[in-house]
Amino acid sequence: MAKPVLFLGNGINRLGGGYNWQDTLQNLSQDAGITAPNHLFNKVPNTVFFEIIYAAFLQKKGIKHEERYLKESISEKLAEFPENKYHRGLYDLGITNILTTNYDYAIEKGSQEIFDSANAYTETRYSLFRRTKAGNLSIWHTHGEINKSNTIMLGFDHYAGSLQKMRSFITTGLSKRYHKKVALESVTRKNRYSQTPFSWVDIFLLNDVYILGFGMDFSEIDIWWLTIYKQRMREKNKRFGTTTYHSFIHQENADKKELEETKIEVLRSLGVTVKKHTINTNHTYSDAYDQIFDQIKSIPA
């Protein structure tokens, strides 16, 4: 059994008291002059709520380049976000790649070293090749990064465009117009498995992946599509890796528990392995992360 690739969402940030997207969107909605009922923030997917805020800014006079303004506002809010002990602990796991939907650099800060961009190819909007190097880790920002605010992926337009690029990269190769007349395609095309992957998409497909602290909301269409594609291909080709979803179920929140159980049922039906962590007063999120980290450390390199 090889060391897994970690796919991290905002859960690891929140272990240190970090931001949550409901708070961020509420602040932006106030800037846009929206007075939405609180229950909408819990029931409407973040991608949809971003579109609501964007529409409000379009109608607001005096604001130009509305999408850029919103993304720059988010970048400013996240720029000073600090690392916590779990970000630092990532560098002791013996892994080499982390995929993350987080825009901030808390993972990189956890290295306690200077970090820098290490993209194989430059992208101005999408993030198939977006990587930083910090310590012994390559960190792939799958949904953009705050130092390049135009790459921050939020609304449906950006999600749809990103999914289109991902699918083309895997199935036909990207158009030469995408990057300086260079045709870019997945190493899974034409069985070129000996080549080193230069996109997080291939790393997700060809390795065993642990999804941790990422809720797999059904609006995350890019990750759902890639997970389904991987499972289908794995039935035909064992070079494709496995996917394990770490689920956190809070016993005291009946609504979230029901939704999480639904996602678990769907993922298992697709062939994804699910590891359930029950959260209560005797077993906290931190306790669960400690156990998962210890389990990864125990896997031989």
Side-chain angles (χ1 to χ4, degrees):
M1 182 179 183
K3 290 280 189 181
V5 170
L6 282 187
F7 187 104
L8 298 177
N10 193 41
I12 192 170
N13 288 354
R14 298 190 68 180
L15 290 172
Y19 63 90
N20 65 67
W21 279 111
Q22 282 70 31
D23 291 342
T24 302
L25 291 174
Q26 280 183 324
N27 291 335
L28 288 174
S29 67
Q30 290 170 4
D31 292 344
I34 300 173
T35 55
N38 286 334
H39 72 272
L40 280 182
F41 291 100
N42 296 321
K43 293 185 177 180
V44 175
N46 293 337
T47 46
V48 176
F49 213 95
F50 175 80
E51 298 294 355
I52 294 172
I53 295 170
Y54 180 53
F57 269 101
L58 285 175
Q59 299 168 22
K60 195 172 183 179
K61 295 180 180 180
I63 301 291
K64 294 183 178 180
H65 309 295
E66 297 83 0
E67 184 174 359
R68 187 175 72 187
Y69 173 83
L70 286 170
K71 292 182 176 182
E72 288 176 352
S73 297
I74 290 171
S75 294
E76 291 173 4
K77 294 179 188 298
L78 302 183
E80 301 304 320
F81 185 77
E83 83 280 8
N84 60 46
K85 73 171 187 175
Y86 293 97
H87 296 117
R88 295 188 289 273
L90 293 169
Y91 293 84
D92 300 323
L93 300 181
I95 59 177
T96 55
N97 285 289
I98 289 178
L99 318 181
T100 181
T101 54
N102 298 338
Y103 317 127
D104 60 77
Y105 300 115
I107 295 172
E108 286 86 344
K109 292 175 184 177
S111 71
Q112 310 292 297
E113 298 178 13
I114 296 173
F115 59 89
D116 204 357
S117 173
N119 304 324
Y121 298 96
T122 300
E123 299 167 285
T124 58
R125 180 169 172 81
Y126 299 106
S127 299
L128 274 69
F129 316 111
R130 191 166 304 284
R131 177 178 60 172
T132 58
K133 288 283 288 183
N136 57 334
L137 288 176
S138 289
I139 301 111
W140 303 80
H141 288 271
T142 67
H143 284 182
E145 58 182 324
I146 57 175
N147 279 2
K148 304 287 190 299
S149 59
N150 191 52
T151 67
I152 291 177
M153 197 161 86
L154 286 166
F156 273 115
D157 181 67
H158 207 155
Y159 268 78
S162 180
L163 179 53
Q164 180 186 33
K165 300 298 182 187
M166 288 167 57
R167 189 177 187 283
S168 295
F169 177 71
I170 293 171
T171 59
T172 62
L174 291 171
S175 165
K176 291 183 179 180
R177 292 178 298 175
Y178 189 77
H179 188 275
K180 299 179 180 179
K181 299 182 180 180
V182 177
L184 302 174
E185 60 183 13
S186 168
V187 299
T188 64
R189 295 195 73 235
K190 303 173 184 177
N191 299 320
R192 292 180 291 107
Y193 298 107
S194 61
Q195 295 186 12
T196 301
F198 55 91
S199 168
W200 70 267
V201 174
D202 282 342
I203 289 173
F204 185 95
L205 292 175
L206 296 174
N207 291 276
D208 295 339
V209 174
Y210 282 12
I211 299 176
L212 179 60
F214 179 71
M216 288 296 288
D217 189 279
F218 289 119
S219 66
E220 300 286 355
I221 56 174
D222 56 331
I223 307 305
W224 275 101
W225 177 81
L226 192 62
T227 300
I228 291 167
Y229 178 84
K230 178 181 182 179
Q231 295 305 123
R232 287 179 178 177
M233 294 303 297
R234 182 170 165 76
E235 292 298 318
K236 306 174 185 177
N237 185 344
K238 295 304 179 183
R239 288 181 180 269
F240 286 72
T242 62
T243 305
T244 300
Y245 173 67
H246 285 270
S247 169
F248 299 89
I249 298 178
H250 205 297
Q251 291 293 86
E252 298 177 2
N253 192 322
D255 290 341
K256 287 188 176 180
K257 181 181 177 182
E258 182 179 2
L259 176 59
E260 189 65 17
E261 292 287 3
T262 300
K263 284 187 283 188
I264 288 172
E265 184 177 355
V266 173
L267 286 165
R268 282 178 171 162
S269 72
L270 295 172
V272 174
T273 300
V274 176
K275 301 289 187 181
K276 294 173 68 172
H277 305 271
T278 300
I279 305 302
N280 52 46
T281 54
N282 297 318
H283 188 74
T284 65
Y285 286 101
S286 295
D287 293 332
Y289 272 75
D290 287 337
Q291 290 180 354
I292 296 166
F293 277 29
D294 287 343
Q295 188 260 324
I296 294 172
K297 286 179 184 178
S298 70
I299 299 173

